[in-house]
C-alpha cells in the first residue's frame, strides 16, 4: 500500500500545444493527482500521462472551455519514478492542480 510522504503540493498549468511534465519524475515516488482545473484559450484537447502511458482519455474542449475535477483520495497516479505529464493540442491550456507524493 502506498503512503503519502508529505503534505499536498500545488502546481500551475500554463502551456501551449505539446507535452509537459507538470510534476517531474522522482525515483521510487508515485505522483497522485488530487485535483485539477484546465481552461483552454481556443478549441483544444488534453490528456494526462504517466510517462508515455495514458492516465485519461483525450478530453476535447471548445474555445474558452474547461473542466475541474477533484477527489480527496486521488483521481489517478503516475507510476513510481515516472513524470506526470499533460499533453495538449492546438491551443494554450491554463490552470492549476493539487497532488501528493507517495511511496
Amino acid at each position: 500500500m502506498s503512503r503519502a510522504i508529505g503534505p499536498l503540493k500545488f502546481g500551475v498549468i500554463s502551456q501551449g500545444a505539446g507535452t509537459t511534465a507538470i510534476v517531474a519524475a522522482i525515483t521510487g515516488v508515485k505522483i497522485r493527482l488530487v485535483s485539477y482545473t484546465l481552461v483552454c484559450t481556443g478549441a483544444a484537447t488534453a490528456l494526462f500521462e504517466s510517462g508515455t502511458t495514458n492516465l485519461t482519455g483525450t478530453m476535447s474542449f471548445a474555445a474558452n472551455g474547461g473542466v475541474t475535477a477533484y477527489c480527496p483520495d486521488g483521481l489517478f497516479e503516475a507510476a513510481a519514478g515516472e513524470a506526470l505529464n499533460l499533453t495538449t493540442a492546438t491551443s494554450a491550456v491554463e490552470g492549476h492542480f493539487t497532488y501528493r507524493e507517495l511511496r
Side-chain angles (χ1 to χ4, degrees):
M1 182 167 163
S2 297
R3 179 174 57 85
I5 55 172
L8 283 173
K9 295 188 175 187
F10 307 91
V12 174
I13 297 168
S14 182
Q15 73 180 63
T19 299
T20 300
I22 60 171
V23 181
I26 304 169
T27 303
V29 173
K30 296 178 184 178
I31 306 300
R32 180 176 292 168
L33 199 65
V34 174
S35 70
Y36 66 89
T37 296
L38 301 175
V39 178
C40 304
T41 58
T45 61
L47 74 103
F48 289 94
E49 299 169 302
S50 171
T52 58
T53 302
N54 293 355
L55 295 173
T56 65
T58 301
M59 299 174 276
S60 297
F61 301 97
N64 301 312
V67 63
T68 295
Y70 167 75
C71 177
D73 294 325
L75 297 162
F76 46 81
E77 66 188 29
E82 290 193 353
L84 177 62
N85 293 327
L86 177 63
T87 296
T88 59
T90 311
S91 72
V93 176
E94 307 289 334
H96 54 87
F97 61 98
T98 307
Y99 67 99
R100 290 188 186 281
E101 294 176 357
L102 307 170
R103 283 206 202 275

Coordinates of all heavy atoms in Angstrom, one line a residue:
M1 N 0.8 -1.2 0.0 CA 0.0 0.0 0.0 C 0.9 1.2 0.0 O 1.9 1.3 0.7 CB -0.9 0.0 1.2 CG -1.8 1.1 1.3 SD -3.1 0.8 2.5 CE -3.7 2.4 2.7
S2 N 0.5 2.2 -0.8 CA 1.3 3.5 -0.9 C 1.0 4.4 0.3 O -0.1 4.3 0.9 CB 0.9 4.2 -2.2 OG 1.3 3.5 -3.3
R3 N 1.9 5.2 0.7 CA 1.8 6.1 1.8 C 2.3 7.4 1.4 O 3.3 7.6 0.8 CB 2.7 5.5 3.0 CG 2.7 6.3 4.2 CD 3.4 5.6 5.3 NE 4.8 5.3 5.0 CZ 5.8 6.1 5.1 NH1 5.6 7.3 5.5 NH2 7.0 5.8 4.8
A4 N 1.5 8.5 1.8 CA 1.8 9.8 1.5 C 3.1 10.2 2.2 O 3.3 9.8 3.3 CB 0.7 10.8 1.9
I5 N 4.0 10.9 1.5 CA 5.3 11.3 2.1 C 5.4 12.9 2.3 O 6.4 13.4 2.0 CB 6.5 10.8 1.4 CG1 6.4 11.2 -0.1 CG2 6.6 9.3 1.5 CD1 7.7 10.8 -0.9
G6 N 4.3 13.5 2.7 CA 4.3 14.9 2.9 C 2.9 15.5 2.6 O 2.0 14.8 2.3
P7 N 2.9 16.8 2.8 CA 1.6 17.5 2.6 C 1.2 17.6 1.1 O 2.0 17.2 0.2 CB 1.9 18.9 3.1 CG 3.3 19.1 2.8 CD 3.9 17.7 3.0
L8 N -0.1 18.0 0.8 CA -0.5 18.3 -0.5 C 0.5 19.3 -1.1 O 1.0 20.2 -0.4 CB -1.9 18.9 -0.5 CG -3.0 17.9 -0.3 CD1 -4.3 18.6 -0.2 CD2 -3.1 16.9 -1.5
K9 N 0.7 19.2 -2.4 CA 1.5 20.1 -3.1 C 0.7 20.7 -4.3 O -0.3 20.1 -4.7 CB 2.8 19.5 -3.7 CG 3.7 19.0 -2.6 CD 5.0 18.5 -3.1 CE 5.9 18.2 -1.9 NZ 7.2 17.8 -2.3
F10 N 1.1 21.9 -4.7 CA 0.3 22.6 -5.7 C 1.1 23.0 -6.9 O 2.3 23.3 -6.8 CB -0.3 23.9 -5.1 CG -1.0 23.6 -3.8 CD1 -0.3 23.6 -2.6 CD2 -2.3 23.3 -3.8 CE1 -1.0 23.4 -1.4 CE2 -3.0 23.0 -2.6 CZ -2.4 23.1 -1.4
G11 N 0.5 23.1 -8.1 CA 1.2 23.5 -9.3 C 0.3 24.3 -10.2 O -0.9 24.3 -10.1
V12 N 1.0 25.0 -11.1 CA 0.3 25.8 -12.1 C 0.5 25.2 -13.5 O 1.6 24.7 -13.8 CB 1.0 27.2 -12.1 CG1 0.4 28.1 -13.2 CG2 0.8 27.9 -10.8
I13 N -0.6 25.3 -14.3 CA -0.5 24.8 -15.7 C -0.6 26.0 -16.6 O -1.5 26.8 -16.5 CB -1.7 23.8 -16.0 CG1 -1.6 22.6 -15.1 CG2 -1.7 23.5 -17.5 CD1 -2.8 21.7 -15.1
S14 N 0.4 26.1 -17.5 CA 0.5 27.2 -18.5 C 1.3 26.7 -19.6 O 2.5 26.8 -19.6 CB 1.1 28.5 -17.8 OG 1.1 29.5 -18.8
Q15 N 0.6 26.2 -20.6 CA 1.4 25.6 -21.8 C 0.6 25.8 -23.1 O -0.6 25.9 -23.1 CB 1.7 24.2 -21.5 CG 0.5 23.2 -21.6 CD 1.0 21.8 -21.3 OE1 1.4 21.5 -20.2 NE2 0.9 20.9 -22.2
G16 N 1.4 25.7 -24.1 CA 0.9 25.7 -25.5 C 0.7 24.2 -25.9 O 0.8 23.3 -25.0
A17 N 0.6 23.9 -27.1 CA 0.5 22.6 -27.6 C 1.8 21.8 -27.3 O 2.9 22.4 -27.5 CB 0.1 22.6 -29.1
G18 N 1.6 20.5 -26.9 CA 2.8 19.7 -26.7 C 2.7 18.9 -25.4 O 1.6 19.0 -24.7
T19 N 3.7 18.3 -25.0 CA 3.7 17.5 -23.8 C 4.7 18.2 -22.8 O 5.8 18.5 -23.1 CB 4.2 16.1 -24.0 OG1 3.3 15.4 -24.9 CG2 4.3 15.3 -22.7
T20 N 4.2 18.4 -21.5 CA 4.9 19.0 -20.5 C 4.9 18.1 -19.2 O 3.8 17.6 -18.9 CB 4.4 20.4 -20.1 OG1 4.5 21.2 -21.3 CG2 5.1 21.0 -19.0
A21 N 6.0 17.9 -18.5 CA 6.0 17.2 -17.2 C 5.5 18.3 -16.2 O 6.2 19.2 -15.9 CB 7.4 16.7 -16.9
I22 N 4.3 18.1 -15.8 CA 3.8 19.1 -14.8 C 4.3 18.8 -13.4 O 4.4 19.6 -12.5 CB 2.2 19.2 -14.8 CG1 1.5 17.9 -14.5 CG2 1.8 19.8 -16.2 CD1 0.0 18.1 -14.3
V23 N 4.7 17.5 -13.2 CA 5.4 17.1 -12.0 C 6.6 16.2 -12.5 O 6.3 15.2 -13.1 CB 4.6 16.4 -10.9 CG1 5.4 16.0 -9.7 CG2 3.4 17.2 -10.5
A24 N 7.8 16.6 -12.2 CA 8.9 15.8 -12.7 C 9.0 14.4 -12.0 O 8.5 14.3 -10.9 CB 10.2 16.6 -12.4
A25 N 9.6 13.5 -12.7 CA 9.8 12.1 -12.1 C 10.7 12.2 -10.8 O 11.7 13.0 -10.8 CB 10.4 11.2 -13.1
I26 N 10.4 11.4 -9.8 CA 11.2 11.3 -8.6 C 11.4 9.8 -8.4 O 10.4 9.0 -8.3 CB 10.4 11.9 -7.4 CG1 10.1 13.4 -7.7 CG2 11.3 11.8 -6.2 CD1 9.1 14.0 -6.6
T27 N 12.6 9.4 -8.3 CA 12.9 8.0 -8.2 C 12.1 7.3 -7.0 O 12.2 7.8 -5.9 CB 14.4 7.8 -7.9 OG1 15.1 8.3 -9.0 CG2 14.8 6.3 -7.8
G28 N 11.4 6.2 -7.3 CA 10.7 5.5 -6.3 C 9.4 6.1 -5.8 O 8.8 5.6 -4.8
V29 N 9.0 7.3 -6.3 CA 7.8 8.0 -5.8 C 6.7 8.0 -6.9 O 7.0 8.3 -8.1 CB 8.2 9.5 -5.5 CG1 7.0 10.3 -5.1 CG2 9.2 9.4 -4.3
K30 N 5.5 7.8 -6.5 CA 4.3 7.9 -7.3 C 3.8 9.3 -7.1 O 3.8 9.9 -6.0 CB 3.2 6.9 -6.9 CG 3.6 5.5 -7.1 CD 2.5 4.6 -6.7 CE 2.8 3.1 -6.7 NZ 1.7 2.3 -6.2
I31 N 3.2 9.9 -8.2 CA 2.6 11.2 -8.1 C 1.1 10.9 -8.3 O 0.6 10.5 -9.3 CB 3.0 12.1 -9.3 CG1 4.6 12.3 -9.2 CG2 2.4 13.5 -9.2 CD1 5.2 12.8 -8.0
R32 N 0.3 11.3 -7.2 CA -1.2 11.1 -7.3 C -1.9 12.4 -7.4 O -1.8 13.3 -6.5 CB -1.7 10.4 -6.0 CG -3.2 10.2 -6.1 CD -3.7 9.4 -4.9 NE -3.2 8.0 -5.0 CZ -3.3 7.1 -4.0 NH1 -3.8 7.5 -2.8 NH2 -2.8 5.9 -4.1
L33 N -2.6 12.6 -8.5 CA -3.3 13.9 -8.8 C -4.6 13.8 -8.0 O -5.4 12.9 -8.0 CB -3.6 14.0 -10.3 CG -3.9 15.4 -10.7 CD1 -2.7 16.3 -10.5 CD2 -4.4 15.4 -12.2
V34 N -4.8 14.9 -7.2 CA -6.0 15.0 -6.3 C -7.0 15.9 -7.0 O -8.2 15.7 -6.8 CB -5.6 15.5 -4.9 CG1 -6.8 15.8 -4.1 CG2 -4.6 14.6 -4.3
S35 N -6.6 17.0 -7.6 CA -7.5 17.9 -8.3 C -6.8 18.6 -9.5 O -5.6 18.7 -9.5 CB -8.0 19.0 -7.3 OG -7.0 19.9 -7.0
Y36 N -7.6 19.1 -10.4 CA -7.1 19.9 -11.5 C -8.2 20.8 -12.1 O -9.4 20.4 -12.0 CB -6.4 19.1 -12.6 CG -7.3 18.2 -13.4 CD1 -8.0 18.6 -14.5 CD2 -7.5 16.9 -13.0 CE1 -8.8 17.8 -15.2 CE2 -8.3 16.0 -13.7 CZ -9.0 16.5 -14.8 OH -9.8 15.7 -15.6
T37 N -7.8 21.9 -12.6 CA -8.6 22.8 -13.4 C -7.9 23.1 -14.7 O -6.7 23.5 -14.6 CB -9.0 24.1 -12.6 OG1 -9.7 23.7 -11.4 CG2 -9.8 25.0 -13.5
L38 N -8.6 22.9 -15.8 CA -8.0 23.3 -17.1 C -8.9 24.2 -17.8 O -10.2 24.0 -17.8 CB -7.8 22.0 -18.0 CG -7.0 20.9 -17.5 CD1 -7.0 19.7 -18.5 CD2 -5.5 21.4 -17.3
V39 N -8.4 25.3 -18.4 CA -9.2 26.2 -19.3 C -8.4 26.4 -20.5 O -7.2 26.7 -20.5 CB -9.5 27.5 -18.6 CG1 -10.2 28.5 -19.5 CG2 -10.2 27.3 -17.3
C40 N -9.0 26.3 -21.7 CA -8.4 26.4 -23.0 C -8.7 27.7 -23.7 O -9.9 28.1 -23.7 CB -8.8 25.2 -23.9 SG -8.5 23.6 -23.1
T41 N -7.7 28.4 -24.2 CA -8.0 29.6 -24.9 C -8.7 29.5 -26.2 O -9.4 30.4 -26.7 CB -6.7 30.4 -25.1 OG1 -5.8 29.6 -25.9 CG2 -6.0 30.8 -23.8
G42 N -8.5 28.3 -26.9 CA -9.1 28.0 -28.1 C -9.5 26.6 -28.1 O -9.3 25.9 -27.1
A43 N -10.1 26.1 -29.2 CA -10.5 24.7 -29.2 C -9.2 23.8 -29.0 O -8.2 24.1 -29.6 CB -11.2 24.3 -30.5
A44 N -9.3 22.8 -28.1 CA -8.1 22.1 -27.8 C -8.5 20.7 -27.3 O -9.6 20.4 -27.0 CB -7.3 22.8 -26.8
T45 N -7.4 19.8 -27.2 CA -7.6 18.5 -26.5 C -6.5 18.5 -25.4 O -5.5 19.1 -25.5 CB -7.4 17.3 -27.5 OG1 -6.1 17.4 -28.1 CG2 -8.5 17.4 -28.5
A46 N -6.8 17.6 -24.4 CA -5.8 17.4 -23.4 C -5.9 16.0 -22.8 O -7.0 15.4 -22.8 CB -6.0 18.5 -22.2
L47 N -4.8 15.5 -22.3 CA -4.8 14.2 -21.6 C -3.6 14.1 -20.7 O -2.6 14.8 -20.9 CB -4.8 13.0 -22.6 CG -3.6 12.6 -23.3 CD1 -2.9 11.4 -22.7 CD2 -3.9 12.3 -24.8
F48 N -3.8 13.4 -19.6 CA -2.7 13.2 -18.6 C -2.1 11.9 -18.9 O -2.7 10.9 -19.2 CB -3.3 13.2 -17.2 CG -3.8 14.6 -16.7 CD1 -5.1 15.0 -16.9 CD2 -2.9 15.5 -16.1 CE1 -5.5 16.2 -16.5 CE2 -3.3 16.7 -15.7 CZ -4.6 17.1 -15.9
E49 N -0.8 11.8 -18.6 CA 0.0 10.6 -18.8 C 1.0 10.4 -17.7 O 1.5 11.3 -17.1 CB 0.8 10.7 -20.1 CG 0.0 10.9 -21.4 CD 0.9 11.3 -22.5 OE1 1.6 12.4 -22.4 OE2 0.8 10.6 -23.5
S50 N 1.3 9.1 -17.5 CA 2.4 8.6 -16.6 C 3.5 8.3 -17.5 O 3.4 7.2 -18.2 CB 1.9 7.4 -15.8 OG 3.0 6.8 -15.1
G51 N 4.5 9.1 -17.6 CA 5.5 8.9 -18.7 C 4.8 9.0 -20.0 O 4.3 10.1 -20.4
T52 N 4.7 7.9 -20.8 CA 4.0 7.9 -22.1 C 2.8 7.1 -22.0 O 2.1 6.9 -23.1 CB 5.0 7.4 -23.2 OG1 5.4 6.0 -22.8 CG2 6.2 8.3 -23.4
T53 N 2.4 6.6 -20.8 CA 1.1 5.8 -20.7 C 0.0 6.7 -20.3 O 0.0 7.5 -19.4 CB 1.3 4.8 -19.6 OG1 2.4 3.9 -19.9 CG2 0.1 3.9 -19.4
N54 N -1.1 6.6 -21.1 CA -2.3 7.4 -20.9 C -2.9 7.1 -19.5 O -3.1 5.9 -19.2 CB -3.4 7.2 -21.9 CG -2.9 7.7 -23.3 OD1 -1.9 8.4 -23.4 ND2 -3.7 7.5 -24.3
L55 N -3.2 8.2 -18.7 CA -4.0 8.0 -17.5 C -5.4 8.4 -17.7 O -6.3 8.1 -16.8 CB -3.3 8.9 -16.4 CG -1.9 8.5 -16.0 CD1 -1.3 9.5 -15.0 CD2 -1.9 7.1 -15.3
T56 N -5.7 9.2 -18.7 CA -7.1 9.6 -19.0 C -7.3 9.5 -20.5 O -6.3 9.3 -21.2 CB -7.3 11.1 -18.7 OG1 -6.5 11.9 -19.5 CG2 -7.0 11.4 -17.2
G57 N -8.5 9.5 -20.9 CA -8.7 9.6 -22.3 C -8.5 11.0 -22.8 O -8.3 11.9 -22.0
T58 N -8.5 11.2 -24.1 CA -8.4 12.6 -24.6 C -9.6 13.4 -24.3 O -10.7 13.0 -24.7 CB -8.1 12.6 -26.1 OG1 -6.9 11.8 -26.3 CG2 -7.9 13.9 -26.7
M59 N -9.5 14.5 -23.7 CA -10.6 15.4 -23.4 C -10.6 16.6 -24.4 O -9.6 17.2 -24.6 CB -10.4 16.0 -22.0 CG -10.4 14.9 -20.9 SD -10.0 15.6 -19.2 CE -8.2 15.7 -19.3
S60 N -11.8 16.8 -25.0 CA -11.9 17.8 -26.1 C -12.6 19.0 -25.5 O -13.6 18.9 -24.7 CB -12.7 17.3 -27.2 OG -12.0 16.2 -27.8
F61 N -12.1 20.2 -25.8 CA -12.7 21.4 -25.3 C -13.0 22.4 -26.4 O -12.2 22.5 -27.4 CB -11.7 22.1 -24.3 CG -11.3 21.3 -23.2 CD1 -10.2 20.5 -23.2 CD2 -12.2 21.2 -22.1 CE1 -9.8 19.7 -22.1 CE2 -11.8 20.4 -21.0 CZ -10.6 19.7 -21.0
A62 N -14.1 23.1 -26.4 CA -14.4 24.2 -27.3 C -13.5 25.4 -26.8 O -13.0 25.4 -25.7 CB -15.8 24.6 -27.2
A63 N -13.4 26.5 -27.6 CA -12.7 27.7 -27.2 C -13.3 28.2 -25.9 O -14.5 28.2 -25.6 CB -12.9 28.8 -28.2
N64 N -12.4 28.5 -24.9 CA -12.7 29.0 -23.6 C -13.4 28.0 -22.8 O -14.0 28.3 -21.7 CB -13.5 30.3 -23.7 CG -12.8 31.4 -24.4 OD1 -11.6 31.6 -24.1 ND2 -13.4 32.0 -25.3
G65 N -13.4 26.7 -23.2 CA -13.9 25.6 -22.4 C -13.0 25.2 -21.3 O -11.8 25.5 -21.3
G66 N -13.5 24.4 -20.4 CA -12.6 23.9 -19.3 C -13.3 22.9 -18.5 O -14.4 22.4 -18.7
V67 N -12.6 22.4 -17.5 CA -13.0 21.3 -16.6 C -12.3 21.5 -15.2 O -11.2 22.0 -15.2 CB -12.8 19.9 -17.2 CG1 -11.3 19.7 -17.4 CG2 -13.4 18.8 -16.4
T68 N -13.0 21.1 -14.2 CA -12.5 21.0 -12.9 C -12.8 19.6 -12.3 O -13.9 19.1 -12.5 CB -13.0 22.0 -11.9 OG1 -12.6 23.3 -12.4 CG2 -12.5 21.9 -10.5
A69 N -11.8 18.9 -11.8 CA -12.0 17.6 -11.2 C -11.4 17.5 -9.8 O -10.3 18.1 -9.6 CB -11.5 16.5 -12.1
Y70 N -12.0 16.8 -8.9 CA -11.5 16.7 -7.5 C -11.9 15.4 -6.9 O -13.1 15.0 -7.0 CB -11.9 17.9 -6.6 CG -11.7 17.7 -5.2 CD1 -10.4 17.8 -4.6 CD2 -12.7 17.3 -4.3 CE1 -10.2 17.6 -3.3 CE2 -12.5 17.1 -3.0 CZ -11.2 17.3 -2.5 OH -11.0 17.1 -1.1
C71 N -11.0 14.7 -6.2 CA -11.3 13.6 -5.4 C -10.3 13.6 -4.3 O -9.1 13.5 -4.6 CB -11.3 12.3 -6.2 SG -11.6 10.8 -5.2
P72 N -10.7 13.6 -3.0 CA -9.7 13.7 -1.9 C -8.8 12.5 -1.8 O -7.7 12.6 -1.4 CB -10.5 13.8 -0.7 CG -11.9 13.3 -1.0 CD -12.0 13.6 -2.5
D73 N -9.2 11.3 -2.4 CA -8.4 10.1 -2.4 C -7.5 10.0 -3.6 O -6.6 9.2 -3.6 CB -9.3 8.9 -2.3 CG -10.0 8.8 -1.0 OD1 -9.5 9.2 0.1 OD2 -11.2 8.3 -1.0
G74 N -7.7 10.9 -4.6 CA -6.9 10.9 -5.8 C -7.7 10.5 -7.0 O -8.6 9.6 -6.9
L75 N -7.4 11.2 -8.1 CA -8.1 10.9 -9.4 C -7.4 9.8 -10.1 O -8.0 8.9 -10.7 CB -8.2 12.2 -10.2 CG -9.0 13.3 -9.6 CD1 -8.6 14.6 -10.2 CD2 -10.4 13.0 -9.8
F76 N -6.0 9.9 -10.1 CA -5.2 8.9 -10.8 C -3.8 9.2 -10.4 O -3.5 10.2 -9.8 CB -5.4 8.9 -12.3 CG -5.4 10.2 -12.9 CD1 -4.2 10.9 -13.2 CD2 -6.6 10.9 -13.3 CE1 -4.2 12.2 -13.8 CE2 -6.6 12.1 -13.8 CZ -5.4 12.8 -14.1
E77 N -2.8 8.2 -10.7 CA -1.5 8.5 -10.3 C -0.5 8.0 -11.4 O -0.8 7.0 -12.1 CB -1.2 7.9 -9.0 CG -1.2 6.4 -8.9 CD -1.1 5.8 -7.5 OE1 -1.5 6.5 -6.5 OE2 -0.6 4.7 -7.4
A78 N 0.7 8.7 -11.4 CA 1.8 8.2 -12.3 C 2.5 7.1 -11.6 O 2.6 7.0 -10.3 CB 2.7 9.4 -12.5
A79 N 3.0 6.2 -12.3 CA 3.8 5.1 -11.8 C 5.0 5.6 -11.1 O 5.5 6.7 -11.4 CB 4.2 4.1 -12.9
A80 N 5.5 4.8 -10.1 CA 6.7 5.2 -9.4 C 7.9 5.5 -10.3 O 8.1 4.7 -11.2 CB 7.1 4.0 -8.4
G81 N 8.5 6.6 -10.1 CA 9.6 7.0 -10.9 C 9.3 7.6 -12.3 O 10.2 7.9 -13.0
E82 N 8.0 7.9 -12.5 CA 7.6 8.5 -13.8 C 7.0 9.9 -13.6 O 6.4 10.1 -12.6 CB 6.6 7.6 -14.6 CG 7.2 6.3 -15.1 CD 6.3 5.6 -16.1 OE1 5.1 6.0 -16.3 OE2 6.7 4.6 -16.6
A83 N 7.3 10.7 -14.6 CA 6.7 12.1 -14.5 C 5.2 12.0 -14.8 O 4.7 11.1 -15.4 CB 7.4 12.9 -15.6
L84 N 4.5 13.0 -14.2 CA 3.1 13.2 -14.5 C 3.1 14.3 -15.6 O 3.5 15.4 -15.4 CB 2.3 13.7 -13.3 CG 0.8 14.0 -13.5 CD1 0.1 12.8 -14.0 CD2 0.2 14.6 -12.3
N85 N 2.7 13.8 -16.8 CA 2.7 14.7 -18.0 C 1.3 15.1 -18.4 O 0.3 14.4 -18.2 CB 3.3 13.9 -19.2 CG 4.7 13.7 -19.0 OD1 5.5 14.4 -18.4 ND2 5.2 12.5 -19.5
L86 N 1.2 16.3 -19.0 CA 0.0 16.8 -19.6 C 0.3 17.1 -21.1 O 1.3 17.8 -21.4 CB -0.5 18.1 -18.9 CG -1.7 18.8 -19.5 CD1 -2.9 17.9 -19.4 CD2 -1.9 20.1 -18.9
T87 N -0.5 16.4 -21.9 CA -0.3 16.6 -23.4 C -1.5 17.4 -23.9 O -2.6 17.0 -23.7 CB -0.2 15.2 -24.1 OG1 1.0 14.6 -23.6 CG2 -0.1 15.4 -25.6
T88 N -1.2 18.5 -24.6 CA -2.3 19.3 -25.2 C -2.0 19.5 -26.7 O -0.9 19.4 -27.1 CB -2.4 20.7 -24.5 OG1 -1.1 21.3 -24.6 CG2 -2.7 20.5 -23.0
A89 N -3.1 19.8 -27.4 CA -3.0 20.0 -28.8 C -3.8 21.3 -29.2 O -4.8 21.6 -28.6 CB -3.5 18.8 -29.6
T90 N -3.3 22.0 -30.1 CA -4.0 23.1 -30.8 C -3.8 24.5 -30.1 O -3.4 25.4 -30.8 CB -5.5 22.8 -31.1 OG1 -5.6 21.5 -31.7 CG2 -6.1 23.8 -32.0
S91 N -4.2 24.6 -28.9 CA -4.1 25.9 -28.3 C -3.6 25.9 -26.9 O -3.4 24.8 -26.3 CB -5.5 26.6 -28.3 OG -6.3 26.0 -27.3
A92 N -3.4 27.1 -26.3 CA -2.9 27.2 -24.9 C -3.9 26.6 -23.9 O -5.1 26.8 -24.0 CB -2.6 28.6 -24.6
V93 N -3.4 26.0 -22.8 CA -4.1 25.5 -21.7 C -3.6 26.1 -20.5 O -2.4 26.1 -20.2 CB -4.1 23.9 -21.7 CG1 -4.8 23.4 -20.5 CG2 -4.7 23.4 -23.0
E94 N -4.4 26.6 -19.6 CA -4.0 27.2 -18.4 C -4.8 26.5 -17.2 O -5.8 25.9 -17.5 CB -4.4 28.7 -18.3 CG -3.9 29.5 -19.5 CD -2.4 29.7 -19.5 OE1 -1.8 29.7 -18.4 OE2 -1.8 29.9 -20.6
G95 N -4.3 26.6 -16.0 CA -5.0 26.1 -14.9 C -4.1 25.8 -13.7 O -3.0 26.4 -13.6
H96 N -4.5 24.9 -12.8 CA -3.8 24.6 -11.6 C -4.1 23.2 -11.2 O -5.1 22.6 -11.7 CB -4.1 25.6 -10.5 CG -5.5 25.7 -10.2 ND1 -6.2 24.9 -9.4 CD2 -6.5 26.6 -10.7 CE1 -7.5 25.3 -9.3 NE2 -7.7 26.3 -10.1
F97 N -3.3 22.6 -10.3 CA -3.6 21.2 -9.8 C -3.0 21.1 -8.4 O -2.2 21.8 -7.9 CB -2.9 20.2 -10.8 CG -1.4 20.3 -10.9 CD1 -0.6 19.5 -10.2 CD2 -0.9 21.3 -11.8 CE1 0.8 19.6 -10.4 CE2 0.5 21.4 -12.0 CZ 1.3 20.5 -11.2
T98 N -3.5 20.0 -7.8 CA -3.0 19.6 -6.5 C -2.6 18.1 -6.5 O -3.3 17.3 -7.2 CB -4.1 19.8 -5.4 OG1 -4.6 21.1 -5.5 CG2 -3.7 19.5 -4.0
Y99 N -1.5 17.8 -5.8 CA -1.1 16.4 -5.9 C -0.4 16.0 -4.6 O -0.1 16.8 -3.7 CB -0.1 16.1 -7.1 CG 1.2 16.9 -6.9 CD1 2.3 16.2 -6.5 CD2 1.4 18.2 -7.3 CE1 3.6 16.8 -6.4 CE2 2.6 18.8 -7.2 CZ 3.7 18.1 -6.8 OH 4.9 18.8 -6.6
R100 N -0.2 14.6 -4.4 CA 0.5 14.1 -3.3 C 1.7 13.2 -3.9 O 1.5 12.6 -4.9 CB -0.3 13.1 -2.5 CG -1.4 13.8 -1.7 CD -2.0 12.8 -0.8 NE -3.2 13.4 -0.1 CZ -3.1 14.2 1.0 NH1 -1.9 14.5 1.5 NH2 -4.2 14.6 1.6
E101 N 2.7 13.1 -3.1 CA 3.8 12.2 -3.4 C 3.7 11.0 -2.5 O 3.4 11.1 -1.4 CB 5.2 12.9 -3.2 CG 5.5 14.0 -4.1 CD 6.8 14.7 -3.8 OE1 7.4 14.4 -2.8 OE2 7.1 15.7 -4.6
L102 N 3.8 9.8 -3.1 CA 3.5 8.5 -2.4 C 4.7 7.6 -2.5 O 5.4 7.6 -3.6 CB 2.3 7.8 -2.9 CG 1.0 8.6 -3.0 CD1 0.0 7.8 -3.8 CD2 0.5 8.9 -1.6
R103 N 5.0 6.8 -1.5 CA 6.0 5.7 -1.6 C 5.2 4.4 -1.4 O 4.3 4.3 -0.7 CB 7.0 5.9 -0.5 CG 8.0 6.9 -0.9 CD 9.4 6.6 -0.2 NE 10.1 7.8 -0.1 CZ 10.9 8.3 -1.1 NH1 11.0 7.6 -2.2 NH2 11.6 9.4 -0.9

